[in-house]
Amino acid sequence: MCANPPPPHTHTHTHCKYSMIFSFSRDNGTKMSQDQQAVNGVSCVSKVLTLDTMNPNVRRVEYAVRGPIVQRAVQIERELREGVKKPFTEVIKANIGDAHAMGQKPITFFRQVLALCSYPDLLEDNKFPEDAKKRARRILDACGGHSIGAYSASQGIECIRQDVARYIERRDGGIPSSPDNIYLSTGASDAIVTILKLLVCGEGRDRTGVMISIPQYPLYSAALADLAAVQISYYLDEENCWSLNVEELRRALKEAKQYCKPRVLCIINPGNPTGQVQSRQCIEDVIRFAKEEHLFLMADEVYQDNVYADGCKFHSFKKVLFEMGPEFSSTVEMASFHSTSKCYMGECGFRGGYMEVINMDPQVKAQLTKLVSVRLCPPVPGQALLELVVNPPQPDEPSYSTFMKERTAVLAALGEKARLTEETFNSVPGITCNPVQGAMYTFPCISLPQKAIDKAKEEGLIPDMFYCMKLLEEEGICLVPGSGFGQKEGTFHFRMTILPPTEKLKVVLQKIRDFHLRFTQEFS
């Protein structure tokens, strides 16, 4: 900062042009600090953008999935490369659902078509099957200049939106879907934030309240902080496999009405970070609740193919909504989201996704279209990938057999790893793990000795952050503390992805087991 900063609340930008202040050092002979050095003959007392002058909402944003633990993991990786001796030879990042980074192989057909779209000269190459070439030509014909390097329509390429609508119809047993209600997006995250932007308004007690599950995916709390919306937390029932209880929704809503205007209910199914799959009855209850309380429903369904547990089945909110009859299907406003980043695809880096809006006011829909147009368009390679997800090889096409073999293998491996994770954690004294029914994560509860809790507080850390940081330093395993997702007071958890290859996952689980026993003994 400058030698003589202006007093608090002084609007320095009014004193000189371009938000700069004419100033001189006290003795005219003192060398000016870096912030004071002249720019075009004008010396600057302080920077225009500081922590005090930046958007305060951004400062409130937290995103645990890539937080302090991950930053330390990156530092440790650098130290290992520089030859620093550690009790381990690599850092295993089990903190994030990044399938390909964990070793999952891309689906061959998807990458073949994307290669053809990226370099159309390959269309003359006989190594590529004809169905891949057919898909690539169709995508390229829909692009400006026959190139995926051209902008698309802001809502997304029309023929891809048509195929998304047909995919939804097949998934939901023939319930109609219109391409006009489909918006392609930069992954599901971008669409979720866009819808929240439309929904947030008001001041004080009229400010929009958004109901999110605890534990929650930190995108939601981060977006709400950024938009200065009011977070309304409702707790999932850990004792009943992280189920959603409508009575808990009522409790949270009633309390929130005292300080905000609840307008939105967000559901993640299958769950992240908790891995539960909600029953059809639960979904019906949620829809009834949303109608009774006049709430906009946001259904995050990006893990819809990731269901492993016997007796569990994915039910889309849209399908259940329409099967409940016109009383609900013609009135409940909803947006649902899907992504190319999860399921069997794991194509996180392409940033492909879509949302479907239901019962949205036509005038608001026009505003939504305007809002997405500000960003020009979603990444066209991501749109191309989404086209392949919703329009995969068919039984009469040459790529079908390989595609189905690869898809089945990925999902079967995830199911095996889900069971392995649950069984291993539940064999460790002091760790309790619910069945991983779906998605890609486990969120076990850990019992921490009081001495460990006291030591964490002494170091200014939340206890499960202290636990995860110590695990990283001693075993090279990077997890995310449960406090980053929210948890009931007095409980501690961590989130771990089940994505590492089975043999590496066994190593990770054994390291966590050994660490937990050692940690408990150290602080007992």
Side-chain angles (χ1 to χ4, degrees):
M1 295 295 290
C2 302
N4 292 305
H9 311 301
T10 298
H11 300 288
T12 56
H13 62 276
T14 61
H15 296 298
C16 67
K17 197 175 181 183
Y18 308 124
S19 298
M20 295 178 181
I21 300 175
F22 287 93
S23 64
F24 301 89
S25 61
R26 290 181 179 176
D27 59 4
N28 289 332
T30 304
K31 185 176 180 181
M32 290 188 293
S33 69
Q34 185 177 0
D35 281 351
Q36 288 175 298
Q37 289 181 16
V39 180
N40 294 333
V42 179
S43 64
C44 177
V45 169
S46 65
K47 292 187 180 297
V48 173
L49 184 60
T50 69
L51 281 175
D52 290 331
T53 62
M54 70 176 286
N55 183 341
N57 294 333
V58 174
R59 290 175 59 186
R60 286 192 284 269
V61 169
E62 294 182 3
Y63 191 64
V65 174
R66 293 177 183 251
I69 294 272
V70 183
Q71 293 164 20
R72 176 57 187 147
V74 171
Q75 289 176 349
I76 291 175
E77 285 181 319
R78 188 181 305 120
E79 291 170 9
L80 286 170
R81 289 194 298 270
E82 292 170 353
V84 177
K85 296 299 180 184
K86 301 281 183 184
F88 46 86
T89 57
E90 67 169 334
V91 173
I92 301 176
K93 293 179 180 173
N95 62 296
I96 194 167
D98 193 350
H100 292 186
M102 290 280 100
Q104 181 178 311
K105 300 299 182 187
I107 300 295
T108 301
F109 180 76
F110 292 173
R111 289 302 182 89
Q112 286 176 330
V113 177
L114 290 168
L116 292 164
C117 288
S118 299
Y119 191 58
D121 287 2
L122 292 174
L123 287 164
E124 307 305 318
D125 193 322
N126 292 329
K127 294 189 184 72
F128 292 84
E130 281 305 312
D131 52 347
K133 291 181 179 180
K134 180 181 176 182
R135 294 292 199 293
R137 290 190 184 100
R138 182 168 183 266
I139 291 167
L140 290 170
D141 286 347
C143 295
H146 301 279
S147 170
I148 59 171
Y151 288 130
S152 77
S154 298
Q155 199 168 337
I157 295 171
E158 184 175 359
C159 72
I160 297 178
R161 288 189 291 113
Q162 291 170 349
D163 284 351
V164 169
R166 283 193 284 267
Y167 162 84
I168 293 171
E169 288 179 357
R170 289 195 304 274
R171 181 196 70 186
D172 293 343
I175 293 167
S177 176
S178 168
D180 291 339
N181 291 332
I182 305 296
Y183 290 77
L184 307 191
S185 57
T186 308
S189 302
D190 180 56
I192 289 166
V193 173
T194 298
I195 289 294
L196 286 172
K197 282 184 179 179
L198 287 177
L199 284 158
V200 174
C201 67
E203 298 293 336
R205 292 182 62 174
D206 288 330
R207 191 67 171 162
T208 293
V210 180
M211 303 185 72
I212 64 171
S213 61
I214 300 296
Q216 53 104 23
Y217 177 50
L219 163 69
Y220 290 90
S221 56
L224 298 181
D226 188 25
L227 296 169
V230 180
Q231 175 178 319
I232 305 171
S233 300
Y234 65 88
Y235 289 87
L236 300 177
D237 185 355
E238 185 170 10
E239 301 301 317
N240 289 293
C241 205
W242 299 112
S243 62
L244 195 166
N245 188 314
V246 172
E247 289 309 308
E248 168 62 11
L249 292 181
R250 295 191 198 285
R251 178 206 63 78
L253 186 83
K254 182 179 179 181
E255 289 183 9
K257 283 181 176 179
Q258 299 174 37
Y259 55 83
C260 70
K261 185 172 183 179
R263 302 179 69 210
V264 191
L265 172 57
C266 299
I267 307 286
I268 308 174
N269 182 49
N272 176 10
T274 42
Q276 86 285 359
V277 178
Q278 302 296 2
S279 68
R280 183 193 170 90
Q281 184 60 55
C282 173
I283 293 171
E284 286 188 14
D285 291 344
V286 168
I287 290 171
R288 287 193 185 91
F289 174 78
K291 177 177 170 57
E292 288 169 14
E293 300 295 343
H294 201 54
L295 298 172
F296 189 103
L297 259 179
M298 293 177 62
D300 182 338
E301 299 175 329
V302 303
Y303 297 99
Q304 57 191 254
D305 290 329
N306 297 110
V307 178
Y308 320 118
D310 292 340
C312 289
K313 181 181 178 183
F314 170 74
H315 301 276
S316 80
F317 265 78
K318 182 188 177 184
K319 182 174 190 288
V320 176
L321 175 70
F322 275 76
E323 288 177 349
M324 290 173 71
E327 177 190 355
F328 296 93
S329 62
S330 63
T331 59
V332 175
E333 298 160 75
M334 186 178 82
S336 60
F337 309 90
H338 195 18
S339 166
T340 62
S341 299
K342 309 303 177 184
C343 297
Y344 64 93
M345 303 84 73
E347 294 280 13
C348 303
F350 277 97
R351 310 308 300 133
Y354 75 77
M355 66 176 162
E356 181 182 27
V357 296
I358 307 293
N359 293 323
M360 182 172 276
D361 182 293
Q363 291 180 311
V364 174
K365 199 168 152 192
Q367 295 297 314
L368 171 60
T369 304
K370 177 185 74 174
L371 188 57
V372 299
S373 72
V374 173
R375 296 190 182 184
L376 296 178
C377 70
V380 175
Q383 295 186 51
L385 177 63
L386 180 65
E387 159 64 20
L388 307 175
V389 172
V390 301
N391 185 20
Q394 299 303 302
D396 60 345
E397 293 183 308
S399 297
Y400 179 77
S401 177
T402 301
F403 169 78
M404 288 303 296
K405 182 180 177 182
E406 292 176 345
R407 181 187 188 277
T408 302
V410 169
L411 294 174
L414 285 169
E416 178 191 344
K417 289 185 281 191
R419 289 184 288 275
L420 173 66
T421 301
E422 177 197 348
E423 290 169 6
T424 303
F425 280 147
N426 282 328
S427 72
V428 183
I431 299 182
T432 307
C433 182
N434 270 315
V436 183
Q437 296 176 329
M440 297 176 171
Y441 316 98
T442 182
F443 198 70
C445 184
I446 51 176
S447 297
L448 301 182
Q450 187 59 47
K451 284 185 180 179
I453 295 171
D454 294 341
K455 180 66 174 174
K457 290 178 180 176
E458 183 183 314
E459 296 192 9
L461 295 174
I462 296 171
D464 51 18
M465 169 68 85
F466 174 71
Y467 178 95
C468 288
M469 192 65 82
K470 204 166 173 58
L471 173 65
L472 174 62
E473 297 288 351
E474 295 183 12
E475 298 287 354
I477 306 296
C478 181
L479 305 179
V480 191
S483 49
F485 300 87
Q487 55 197 348
K488 280 192 174 180
E489 186 71 29
T491 67
F492 305 109
H493 302 77
F494 60 76
R495 187 189 81 160
M496 187 190 84
T497 180
I498 62 171
L499 285 172
T502 302
E503 291 309 309
K504 182 168 279 193
L505 180 62
K506 289 178 180 177
V507 172
V508 170
L509 293 170
Q510 185 62 45
K511 280 176 171 279
I512 295 173
R513 176 189 173 88
D514 293 344
F515 169 80
H516 186 82
L517 295 174
R518 191 171 67 245
F519 180 92
T520 302
Q521 186 175 18
E522 179 183 349
F523 290 100
S524 61

